[in-house]
Amino acid sequence: MSHRTVLIAGAGIAGPTLAHWLTRYGMTPTVVERAPALRPGGQTVDLRGAGLDVIRRMGLEAAARDAATREAGVRFVDDQDHTKAALPADAFGGRGPIADLEILRPQLSTLLYEHTRHDTEYLFDDEITALGDDGNEVHVTLKNGGERSFDLVVAADGIRSRTRDLVFTSTRTKGFGLCTAYFTIPHRPSDGRWARWHNAPGHRSITLRPDSLGTTRAALSFLTPTRGYERLEPARQKRLLHDVFGGLAWEVPRILSEMDKSADFFFESVGQVHMPRWSRERTAVTGDAAYCASPLSGMGTSLALTGAYVLAGELARHTDHRAAFTAYEHVLRPYTARAQKLPPGTPRAAMPRTRTGIATLNTVLRTATRKPVSTLLSRFLIPPADTFALPAYDSPM
């Protein structure tokens, strides 16, 4: 079965990574992506631990480092832009909140696409609307591409995967009451090379991060008991953000003004995905569609890369896809469980309600790299990316 045909939904991170490894093992991947092209928006993500090992095995580490943002670290600032605490990029051995290798998500996605597009069929501006499994193959209806059949289908199209929801009915999304908006704004010299994090009373935070393209990535986050904001139209989401953040000082007036003109505005309700099974008959899920750990974990990219690597390897190792899917879960579930186990108090601890709480947090962060505090805080500030050793799949059976 090394010549399996596999349809992958999603051309973000997990999808192209899976396509690379399937091709390497003699299978034929096709990637379908609902967007008309690679999505240009997105914030900085980190490559660390097992995820970086996957990139290294793909021969892409040098290219990823060339595209790195090279952030100096993160500063926690007050409304006068005075630094109250700072964590340099080399804190915790380069494994802390700012990793040794940070890269824009769209640049990583582009790197993976360019690496696979000559060996993989990509179908942009299309999506799966129906799936029928007859036991021998999966009959797929594409919105624009008609009907086709594949040996296997893999949903890798994100936390709100439409493909997954065509097949699986027991998916649970765990929310945290946290909403975040991401967008790009023009860079100013004062932005520098450090990320800046500003906490405001009322469980609100604002971050500015330099990128490698001469612009700045902004994020607005707030805690709320209200659900469903992610389903609003972007114009209403922007009005909401003006209501929540209007009147604050620091860089907030600039950020809100530029947000209204942003071409890559994205709003999400932060959550995790939990599924009792990652496969059903000839369909499987990977990446955020299967086990999103949320941006709070710092593990999304590592899980996407590692999950795709393991899934392809197990498909290469087993002639029976059911055995491959079972092995994929057996190997990967302990890692995803560690990634989804967030530190106590997350996310409220990082977004205090009062000025006193903010001052206390900054005091703790000022001593974060000093022992014995660094030993205590390492469990909160270092994601468990290094707790997984990649299996070797270089010799398919």
Side-chain angles (χ1 to χ4, degrees):
M1 289 297 293
S2 61
H3 299 293
R4 293 182 178 107
T5 58
V6 184
L7 178 63
I8 305 165
I13 304 300
T17 303
L18 179 61
H20 164 87
W21 291 106
L22 291 176
T23 299
R24 177 165 174 169
Y25 297 132
M27 288 171 263
T28 303
T30 296
V31 178
V32 58
E33 168 57 49
R34 183 159 50 95
L38 294 178
R39 299 174 188 268
Q43 294 288 302
T44 303
V45 298
D46 47 48
L47 295 175
R48 60 173 89 217
L52 180 56
D53 285 343
V54 173
I55 289 293
R56 189 174 290 128
R57 294 188 186 191
M58 294 174 73
L60 295 176
E61 182 180 7
R65 291 193 180 277
D66 285 344
T69 61
R70 295 177 175 81
E71 284 178 297
V74 56
R75 288 178 174 151
F76 297 85
V77 301
D78 64 14
D79 56 11
Q80 300 300 311
D81 204 42
H82 297 146
T83 299
K84 296 300 181 180
L87 294 175
D90 60 2
F92 302 98
R95 297 162 56 227
I98 303 296
D100 171 61
L101 178 48
E102 302 272 349
I103 184 173
L104 289 175
R105 187 186 184 282
Q107 287 195 289
L108 178 59
S109 176
T110 298
L111 182 65
L112 294 168
Y113 168 72
E114 291 294 336
H115 186 67
T116 56
R117 67 183 180 90
H118 297 294
D119 300 312
T120 300
E121 178 187 18
Y122 278 86
L123 306 173
F124 286 99
D125 197 22
D126 211 343
E127 64 179 305
I128 300 169
T129 59
L131 293 169
D133 189 331
D134 67 5
N136 295 311
E137 57 185 356
V138 185
H139 303 286
V140 179
T141 302
L142 298 171
K143 183 177 181 180
N144 298 318
E147 296 184 358
R148 295 178 61 173
S149 297
F150 297 86
D151 292 315
L152 303 170
V153 171
V154 178
D157 46 346
I159 184 172
R160 292 174 179 83
S161 168
R162 298 183 184 183
T163 306
R164 174 197 64 209
D165 292 346
L166 290 173
V167 177
F168 300 89
T169 59
S170 55
T171 303
R172 180 173 67 90
T173 301
K174 176 184 177 181
F176 298 97
L178 174 64
C179 291
T180 301
Y182 309 96
F183 46 94
T184 304
I185 67 175
H187 181 80
R188 287 183 179 178
S190 58
D191 291 338
R193 299 311 308 164
W194 284 76
R196 289 181 290 165
W197 181 314
H198 174 60
N199 273 319
H203 300 301
R204 295 173 291 177
S205 73
I206 307 98
T207 60
L208 290 175
R209 303 186 70 174
D211 62 24
S212 54
L213 302 177
T215 50
T216 296
R217 306 288 160 145
L220 300 171
S221 301
F222 64 99
L223 290 173
T224 175
T226 304
R227 298 183 179 183
Y229 287 143
E230 74 279 2
R231 294 191 292 270
L232 298 177
E233 292 296 318
R236 293 184 62 189
Q237 292 169 343
K238 291 179 180 181
R239 288 198 296 272
L240 171 67
L241 292 168
H242 275 281
D243 291 340
V244 173
F245 291 91
L248 293 179
W250 190 55
E251 300 272 9
V252 176
R254 166 199 173 195
I255 293 169
L256 290 175
S257 176
E258 296 295 346
M259 175 189 71
D260 292 335
K261 298 176 283 186
S262 175
D264 62 354
F265 176 84
F266 177 75
F267 186 105
E268 71 168 338
S269 178
V270 175
Q272 291 184 339
V273 171
H274 296 268
M275 299 181 67
R277 289 289 306 274
W278 296 341
S279 66
R280 181 180 179 187
E281 298 175 340
R282 290 179 171 269
T283 299
V285 287
T286 194
D288 279 355
Y291 33 74
C292 176
S294 85
L296 301 171
S297 70
M299 288 290 293
T301 305
S302 291
L303 288 178
L305 293 166
T306 305
Y309 171 86
V310 172
L311 176 55
E314 296 299 340
L315 284 170
R317 178 173 286 177
H318 296 87
T319 57
D320 186 335
H321 67 276
R322 292 165 295 187
F325 290 160
T326 298
Y328 159 59
E329 290 203 36
H330 176 76
V331 170
L332 204 65
R333 271 201 183 269
Y335 184 49
T336 63
R338 289 191 294 274
Q340 291 186 323
K341 188 177 181 180
L342 301 179
T346 302
R348 289 180 175 272
M351 301 170 61
R353 181 177 61 85
T354 65
R355 293 189 182 277
T356 300
I358 293 170
T360 300
L361 174 63
N362 289 336
T363 299
V364 172
L365 291 171
R366 273 198 299 274
T367 62
T369 59
R370 307 174 197 165
K371 290 187 176 182
V373 177
S374 62
T375 303
L376 176 64
L377 289 183
S378 62
R379 62 180 292 226
F380 295 92
L381 298 177
I382 300 179
D386 296 326
T387 62
F388 183 80
L390 293 181
Y393 296 115
D394 289 336
S395 300
M397 293 176 58

